[in-house]
Structures are given as structure tokens and as C-alpha cells.
Amino acid sequence: GFVNGTRGIINGSAVAPKPKEICERLHQLSLPVLVKMAPVGENPHVDILLEIDLLGERLLFESRGWRTVDSLLAGPDGTGPGILFQELLEQHQALNIFPPALNTLRVITHIGQDGMVDVAACFLKIARTGHRIDNMHHGAIGAHVNLTSGHLERGFGGLGRARFTHHPDTGAAIEGFQVPFFAEAVELAKRAHPLLQSPSLIGWDVAVTDEGPKIIEANSYLALWTTQKGGQGLGNSRLGQHISAILKR
């Protein structure tokens, strides 16, 4: 779900931006729940919602403790940027390169001139010690996935020029690792793309769980630099050909 000072939706239904109603609706969810709170222009603060105080209209977070809903919705203009609530997922037990965080696949899909959805590139984002999320701007490692075999290539740093055969914090192998449910994750992103009408290029963050892949979010900002920094230039790739065709229109 998502709520801010003017609107909201939780579990598929609209909710009024009032603390009492928000708490009542959140109380119907199965806790704990992952929460993202993003100051404008910044990366989101990630926390876990543990408990709801209906009488006090407060939420208990793992890291931030008790906070009133009013304080979370407030901003400089009286309307904060909003709070995103997501299912708290556990990654596939074999995906243990960095167990403390949910390490997601970035699957880049595009719709070609023939109207068919294709996967242009894919890499696994792997968090580092001290970070709950796998954001490349927070020092996470990226590792391209061979689209044919589903194996990881050598990792690369989001910051700097380091390359990694193994995770520098856990020692787990990166290069050669077989991503579980990789074919299913790719197919899920391909099926989802036509449901969004306007973007021809989408970067899907896909979690791999023991039950299979689950979409976390769709991104219009693809961080294309990551497809090049890891040693995969765009020039003759399927993605590069697609971008070239768009520019020639």
C-alpha cells in the first residue's frame, strides 16, 4: 500500500489520509511489513513495521521505535512524500551470498518495434554489510546474469572499479552462482511489461523466494550505467539496438 497526506491505498482499496483510518487498515495486514519512507530527492529509508497502536494512532518500527502517523505524513508543506508498505519477503534459501538483505534481480525489459517484449539485460544486486537494501548507490555489488544459463558473472561495485569473484563481506561465491528460478523471473517480468501501457523500457526489481519470483517494483530509471560498468557495453546488445531504433524514430 501507499499513503501520504492527501491520498492512500492499502491492500487494493482506497483509504482516507487520516491516522485513525490508516491504523485500522494497517491492522488488518499480516505483520511484520516492510516500510519505505522517502524524503524528496533521496533514497528511501527502510524499516520494518512490527506493531500498531490503534488508540494512540502510532506505529512501532524495528529501527525507529514508536512514531505517530501524523509525524510520518507531515512535511515542509504539510504533506510528506508518502509511505510505502510492502510484503516482507524472505529470499530463496540458496541465494545466500548476503543473507541479511533481500537481494533482487534487476530485469530490464523492452517492447520492440514488432510489439514483442524482450529481456535486454539482467543483473543481481547484492547488499553489503551495514545496509538493509541492495541499492547500488549505497555500495551494493552488481553481477550480470547470463541470460541463457542463469549464472552470475563477476561482480562489480556500484562505487569504484573493484571486481568481485566472491562477496567481500561473506566470502560467498558470486561468479558462477546459479540463480534459482531465473527463467521464471524473466518470464514474470516479460508478462508484466504489457500491463503498463507507456514505458517501452522498464527495470523490474524481482525477488526470488522459495516459492518462486515476486515483483517488488517497476522502475522507469534503469541505471543503464550498470549494464556498461559490469563489462557489458550497449553498442551491439539488444538493449543498444532498441535505444538506437527509438532515437531514429
Side-chain angles (χ1 to χ4, degrees):
F2 172 83
V3 295
N4 64 11
T6 61
R7 62 193 183 278
I9 182 170
I10 295 177
N11 213 20
S13 300
V15 58
K18 299 179 180 179
K20 180 180 179 181
E21 185 166 343
I22 290 172
C23 286
E24 289 175 347
R25 294 291 295 279
L26 289 175
H27 195 258
Q28 299 172 13
L29 301 180
S30 178
L31 300 180
V33 170
L34 186 73
V35 179
K36 296 179 181 178
M37 294 166 278
V40 176
E42 299 181 18
N43 290 315
H45 299 303
V46 177
D47 212 327
I48 296 177
L49 175 61
L50 301 174
E51 188 178 338
I52 299 165
D53 174 14
L54 292 174
L55 185 61
E57 298 175 350
R58 301 182 303 163
L59 306 179
L60 176 62
F61 296 98
E62 183 178 79
S63 299
R64 293 166 173 257
W66 285 104
R67 296 294 180 93
T68 64
V69 175
D70 267 336
S71 68
L72 296 173
L73 296 178
D77 59 355
T79 305
I83 310 170
L84 183 68
F85 301 94
Q86 295 180 324
E87 179 184 1
L88 185 62
L89 298 174
E90 292 189 13
Q91 66 190 351
H92 194 285
Q93 57 184 344
L95 195 58
N96 57 0
I97 299 175
F98 188 75
L102 182 67
N103 306 291
T104 60
L105 291 167
R106 171 60 62 88
V107 184
I108 300 176
T109 59
H110 66 85
I111 297 181
Q113 292 178 303
D114 58 359
M116 300 298 292
V117 178
D118 190 19
V119 174
C122 178
F123 58 93
L124 180 69
K125 298 180 294 176
I126 311 167
R128 295 287 307 272
T129 296
H131 296 286
R132 187 188 295 277
I133 59 176
D134 57 0
N135 193 304
M136 298 293 289
H137 295 290
H138 285 180
I141 296 169
H144 286 285
V145 186
N146 184 297
L147 296 180
T148 302
S149 68
H151 287 90
L152 294 184
E153 300 178 4
R154 186 171 299 185
F156 58 91
L159 305 173
R161 298 184 177 182
R163 301 296 298 271
F164 306 95
T165 59
H166 292 73
H167 195 286
D169 301 323
T170 66
I174 294 176
E175 189 173 21
F177 178 84
Q178 174 69 56
V179 178
F181 290 116
F182 177 67
E184 291 83 353
V186 166
E187 185 60 29
L188 178 61
K190 290 175 67 175
R191 293 201 315 270
H193 193 137
L195 301 177
L196 301 180
Q197 296 181 359
S198 56
S200 60
L201 281 167
I202 300 176
W204 303 92
D205 284 346
V206 181
V208 180
T209 73
D210 286 340
E211 292 75 37
K214 295 187 177 183
I215 292 175
I216 300 296
E217 62 187 30
N219 298 272
S220 58
Y221 172 68
L222 306 182
L224 292 179
W225 60 270
T226 55
T227 67
Q228 301 181 81
K229 185 171 183 179
Q232 296 190 0
L234 294 180
N236 295 319
S237 69
R238 288 179 285 182
L239 179 56
Q241 294 167 7
H242 176 70
I243 293 174
S244 178
I246 291 177
L247 294 175
K248 291 178 181 178
R249 290 177 184 173

